[in-house]
Amino acid sequence: MQKTYTNPVYDYIHSPDQDAVSPTHHPVVIVGAGPCGLAAGLDFALQGVSTVILDDNNTVSVGSRAICFAKRTLEIMERYGCADRMVDKGITWQLGKVFFQDDLVYEFNLLPESGHKQPAFINLQQYYFEEYLVDRVAEFSDIDLRWKSKVTEVDTNSERTRIKVVTPDGEYEMTCDYLLVADGANSKIRTMLGLESKGQVFQDRFLIADVVMKADFPTERWFWFDPPFHRNQSALLHRQADDVWRIDLQLGWDANPEEEKKEENIRPRLEAMLGKDVEFELEWASVYTFQCRKMDNFIKDRVVFMGDAAHQVSPFGARGANGGIQSVENLAWKLARIVRGEAPPALLETYNSERQHGAEENILNSTRATDFITPKNHISRVFRDETLRLAEHYHFARRLVNSGRLSLPCSYPYSPLNTDESANFNSALCAGSPPKDAPISVDGQPDWLIRHLGNHFTLLVNAESIDPAQLAALQDQKDLQLLLMSQNEVSREMGKLGTILQDAEGLISERYDLQPGRAYLFRPDQIVTARWAQLDSEQVKSAIQKALGFELETAA
């Protein structure tokens, strides 16, 4: 059915591990070459840890599947080296509109402020996303991506994990320090280990269809409640690359999935929505029952679960793939440092605690959206419809309308890795916050702050009135890079200590309240972990030790 994209077929390559007399050992093995598995391989490679990625298929996903990629995901992809291709191919948007019956209720802007390198959202079919990740993976010798390699047995304990892999050439075994599982919502490895993903199944069905058409619709997110072309149900329209448009139509719990997927049944629904005079071709279709669920613990001995294998949400709000990528970036820097012997094993538990918080936040928002979109009784329907009527005229009611609270970056305000602060900042970017980008200048060339964060601990300092001795005392601190903001000429001595940047439009000072002498410490996943009103090198060193989990080990 797919007309605008031909899936690549990747070669199966015989591995030397298959000929080894005894199982070969690897630090990290990843199961699943979807978005999360591939992203994890890239993150580890950037931090000096080799990985093996196993996938039982030999191509990327069939059908567009996840299509909405948020600004935070694009910032992470910038670090991985994939963002430019995604933005160039994808459809950039930031305006959404909500309709009720025949009327436009209101519209919203997801990125009203300027001064960010990445857009609020792009729409891009998942198969392109995966293809770009595969291409990027091929650039790293530290990543061994093995297609047509199915994991059929897993045995794990507190020391290591053993797996059996079946290939076209037969089966073999491997061992690893850590097995990362990204094999999807119906994870076979989760089942092998007797683990569950618990939550709610919503008693409704949705048709998701991709159609190829040249249309005059603007590049916006349009959501309808009870539209004239699909009475008593909901509908969603998004534009993707290659003149492909995503259409979601609520069907009801009684709909027969197999019947609804047939083109002769889909076409009349689309004609009612688009008009009989609009020419279109059906590209791909599927019928979904939405679920919000997660594992109670994402870690079992030396096995760590990621993405849909760990947590699953309904599509409204684009929180599935975006949340999964945030889990990957949370995990990789921690596990990389454990594997390299630079952090205690106790650090890994903070992946579970921080991303349980992230999963709960995503599930809460997805559940609320699904409940609003699909009222379960008459009173709920009356409340929803009256809210929509009020929203057309009153701003307060618009906050109650929920067509999907779109993905936002997760914060970790209660993380045990944070260093408490005593100073008052006129900025919400406290410890646990994701970064805010801003235009900068380095050596007279325009640049972006976000490109200088990540992979290492990063100290951002307003170097005006800073004692160079405080910075010099950090030169022996492993895994730390310095960003020194100064609008004036700096001394030769200061220039040797770190990267000198200028606040091109004053937005760093504004967004971080970065007055002279103040400093922010970012984790390798770009999350703020500490900030100070006055830089003190010893406090920076202590904050890094805390962020690496050494206080957790002491407490245990």
Side-chain angles (χ1 to χ4, degrees):
M1 188 184 294
Q2 201 162 279
K3 301 174 177 64
T4 62
Y5 182 81
T6 301
N7 276 61
V9 177
Y10 300 111
D11 292 335
Y12 161 76
I13 299 174
H14 186 90
S15 167
D17 287 358
Q18 297 172 246
D19 304 319
V21 176
S22 58
T24 305
H25 186 78
H26 295 274
V28 177
V29 174
I30 302 167
V31 181
C36 289
L38 294 167
L42 288 171
D43 211 327
F44 278 104
L46 290 168
Q47 298 182 71
V49 174
S50 62
T51 59
V52 176
I53 304 177
L54 305 172
D55 196 274
D56 59 4
N57 208 333
N58 63 342
T59 188
V60 296
S61 65
V62 176
S64 65
R65 302 184 184 275
I67 66 165
C68 292
F69 296 99
K71 175 175 169 288
R72 181 65 196 134
T73 297
L74 295 173
E75 290 173 345
I76 298 168
M77 289 302 129
E78 171 89 24
R79 186 160 62 83
Y80 296 167
C82 302
D84 287 349
R85 287 186 75 184
M86 293 177 67
V87 174
D88 289 346
K89 182 66 177 180
I91 302 298
T92 296
W93 66 278
Q94 64 189 55
L95 193 67
K97 292 181 177 177
V98 177
F99 301 85
F100 178 49
Q101 297 177 352
D102 297 306
D103 301 322
L104 171 63
V105 174
Y106 73 99
E107 60 184 51
F108 56 89
N109 190 333
L110 291 166
L111 189 61
E113 65 180 17
S114 60
H116 296 265
K117 184 176 191 295
Q118 301 300 341
F121 271 89
I122 66 166
N123 287 350
L124 180 71
Q125 295 91 314
Q126 183 172 320
Y127 43 72
Y128 280 123
F129 181 39
E130 292 183 16
E131 180 183 336
Y132 299 161
L133 288 169
V134 172
D135 290 347
R136 180 67 171 143
V137 161
E139 299 176 20
F140 289 89
S141 60
D142 282 343
I143 309 174
D144 183 356
L145 175 52
R146 303 180 189 177
W147 300 104
K148 305 296 282 185
S149 299
K150 182 178 182 179
V151 176
T152 58
E153 290 183 18
V154 177
D155 180 35
T156 187
N157 56 41
S158 60
E159 300 297 325
R160 63 174 53 190
T161 294
R162 179 193 62 81
I163 61 174
K164 179 180 288 186
V165 184
V166 174
T167 74
D169 291 340
E171 62 185 41
Y172 66 104
E173 293 187 358
M174 291 193 299
T175 60
C176 57
D177 293 320
Y178 293 94
L179 182 72
L180 275 53
V181 180
D183 61 348
N186 299 314
S187 171
K188 292 182 173 59
I189 292 180
R190 190 179 62 218
T191 301
M192 287 178 203
L193 295 175
L195 304 173
E196 291 184 274
S197 186
K198 304 172 186 176
Q200 181 179 359
V201 176
F202 292 90
Q203 294 193 347
D204 212 323
R205 302 190 199 280
F206 286 77
L207 170 70
I208 297 184
D210 285 350
V211 299
V212 184
M213 64 176 178
K214 295 189 183 297
D216 294 330
F217 298 116
T219 305
E220 300 168 352
R221 180 188 193 262
W222 285 10
F223 195 101
W224 289 267
F225 294 93
D226 191 12
F229 55 82
H230 195 51
R231 282 298 182 198
N232 299 313
Q233 306 285 18
S234 65
L236 175 66
L237 178 69
H238 263 300
R239 184 185 172 195
Q240 306 174 69
D242 303 329
D243 291 319
V244 176
W245 295 76
R246 161 66 63 81
I247 297 171
D248 291 42
L249 295 173
Q250 183 184 358
L251 298 176
W253 183 239
D254 295 332
N256 184 316
E258 295 307 313
E259 288 296 314
E260 294 292 349
K261 282 191 289 188
K262 294 178 180 177
E263 183 164 356
E264 62 265 29
N265 294 324
I266 294 174
R267 187 164 284 275
R269 295 187 184 279
L270 299 184
E271 288 176 348
M273 178 181 186
L274 304 171
K276 290 194 175 182
D277 57 334
V278 175
E279 294 184 6
F280 65 85
E281 292 184 88
L282 186 62
E283 168 99 344
W284 173 76
S286 185
V287 174
Y288 279 84
T289 299
F290 295 148
Q291 301 184 50
C292 288
R293 57 180 183 163
K294 69 175 183 65
M295 300 176 66
D296 291 336
N297 193 322
F298 301 148
I299 304 169
K300 168 66 174 174
D301 292 327
R302 291 297 184 101
V303 179
V304 185
F305 291 84
M306 308 182 299
D308 283 353
H311 40 72
Q312 184 183 5
V313 294
S314 61
F316 296 116
R319 291 174 176 269
N322 291 297
I325 295 300
Q326 289 184 59
S327 288
V328 168
E329 67 150 1
N330 185 289
L331 171 65
W333 76 269
K334 297 172 180 176
L335 196 53
R337 280 152 185 78
I338 294 170
V339 168
R340 297 195 319 232
E342 298 168 6
L347 179 62
L348 182 58
E349 178 52 37
T350 67
Y351 162 71
N352 183 60
S353 59
E354 289 183 351
R355 290 313 300 165
Q356 287 284 346
H357 163 70
E360 288 166 1
E361 183 178 271
N362 285 332
I363 287 172
L364 176 64
N365 280 280
S366 292
T367 299
R368 286 174 173 173
T370 306
D371 285 341
F372 191 88
I373 292 165
T374 62
K376 302 304 182 289
N377 53 53
H378 174 69
I379 294 300
S380 296
R381 175 64 181 264
V382 169
F383 169 80
R384 187 201 71 179
D385 290 355
E386 290 306 314
T387 300
L388 289 164
R389 289 189 179 95
L390 286 169
E392 185 175 357
H393 305 287
Y394 300 102
H395 190 271
F396 81 90
R398 295 172 188 174
R399 295 194 298 271
L400 303 176
V401 174
N402 196 336
S403 64
R405 297 279 189 264
L406 287 156
S407 177
L408 294 171
C410 186
S411 297
Y412 310 108
Y414 306 112
S415 172
L417 306 183
N418 296 342
T419 293
D420 295 332
E421 61 186 60
S422 56
N424 292 321
F425 280 74
N426 187 25
S427 166
L429 293 172
C430 58
S433 299
K436 270 208 167 190
D437 199 8
I440 61 174
S441 175
V442 178
D443 294 330
Q445 299 299 312
D447 206 338
W448 294 93
L449 176 63
I450 201 75
R451 294 194 338 103
H452 294 266
L453 305 178
N455 300 330
H456 309 274
F457 284 93
T458 303
L459 188 69
L460 173 64
V461 183
N462 186 330
E464 306 291 344
S465 75
I466 282 286
D467 179 0
Q470 289 292 338
L471 298 173
L474 294 169
Q475 293 304 292
D476 61 348
Q477 180 66 47
K478 186 177 181 181
D479 202 21
L480 176 67
Q481 58 187 7
L482 302 183
L483 294 179
L484 309 178
M485 190 180 84
S486 176
Q487 299 302 97
N488 304 310
E489 282 291 324
V490 297
S491 67
R492 183 183 299 272
E493 179 186 2
M494 185 82 80
K496 293 179 180 179
L497 298 177
T499 299
I500 307 298
L501 62 88
Q502 284 76 45
D503 189 3
E505 298 178 14
L507 291 178
I508 296 180
S509 298
E510 176 185 320
R511 291 171 179 169
Y512 289 85
D513 191 18
L514 199 63
Q515 300 173 24
R518 290 189 169 183
Y520 278 77
L521 179 65
F522 296 86
R523 305 185 330 192
D525 58 353
Q526 302 179 331
I527 299 294
V528 175
T529 194
R531 61 182 181 177
W532 298 274
Q534 186 63 44
L535 176 66
D536 182 294
S537 59
E538 292 305 312
Q539 290 181 359
V540 173
K541 293 177 182 180
S542 295
I544 292 173
Q545 290 296 99
K546 185 172 185 180
L548 286 171
F550 284 101
E551 289 191 11
L552 300 174
E553 186 180 46
T554 302

